[in-house]
Amino acid sequence: MTATFLFLVNPELAYDPYPDWERWAPLIRAGQTPQSRWNTGTRRHGITPGDRGLIVRVGSEPRGLVGACEVVSEVSVGPHWNPEARSLEAGYVDIAMKAVIDLDDPVTLDELRAAAPGVIWTPRQSGTRLPDEAAATIWNILFTETDIPAART
């Protein structure tokens, strides 16, 4: 089974590169998969091309699921995206966005907890691997059998 990892986004922080929902949404609707780079926190291995990512908005409300992606690279290490971080380096993967959900109307944490109980949906950093069953449940909520984004996207 394909591994699925949680990737976090906090709209109050200044990422480099910054996730661009406004630009990505119309591209995804047109059948494209815009690419970006995403940090994996302290994770330096165990994420490989073909793995999936679920992007969860953390920080201020509304918090919840706001995107899905496919990993298209191995983990690499580079300068930390946050100049105020304790660590000077972070792990990164290249991703292809498969779905984006309005940052102000996410699949809520309550909905996620109801669909996949026992998962910590707001870990301290990106790169947490989801249990396979929970990942499959959430991925199936987002996508139809043909991998077309569901109505919420």
Side-chain angles (χ1 to χ4, degrees), residues 23-38:
R23 185 176 66 80
W24 293 345
L27 295 173
I28 292 168
R29 282 192 297 273
Q32 298 178 38
T33 53
Q35 294 198 10
S36 187
R37 188 172 73 145
W38 211 277

Side-chain angles (χ1 to χ4, degrees), residues 1-6 52-54 65 67-68 101 107-119 121 130-145 147 150 152:
M1 176 171 265
T2 301
T4 303
F5 296 87
L6 287 179
R52 294 173 172 170
L54 293 173
L65 183 66
I101 299 168
V107 176
T108 68
L109 293 178
D110 287 341
E111 290 173 286
L112 292 171
R113 289 179 188 125
V119 172
W121 290 102
L130 286 174
D132 292 342
E133 187 175 321
T137 297
I138 300 304
W139 198 265
N140 289 335
I141 289 171
L142 282 177
F143 296 98
T144 66
E145 292 176 13
D147 227 19
R152 273 191 91 133

Side-chain angles (χ1 to χ4, degrees), residues 7 12 17 25 34 39 45 54 58-59 82 85 88 97 105-106 127 131-132 136 140 147 150:
F7 296 135
E12 298 171 7
N39 88 77
H45 53 79
L54 293 173
V58 296
N82 182 351
L88 297 177
M97 293 302 299
D105 188 23
D132 292 342
N140 289 335
D147 227 19

Side-chain angles (χ1 to χ4, degrees), residues 89-111:
E89 295 181 327
Y92 293 93
V93 289
D94 294 327
I95 60 168
M97 293 302 299
K98 304 276 285 173
V100 292
I101 299 168
D102 186 336
L103 288 171
D104 294 323
D105 188 23
V107 176
T108 68
L109 293 178
D110 287 341
E111 290 173 286

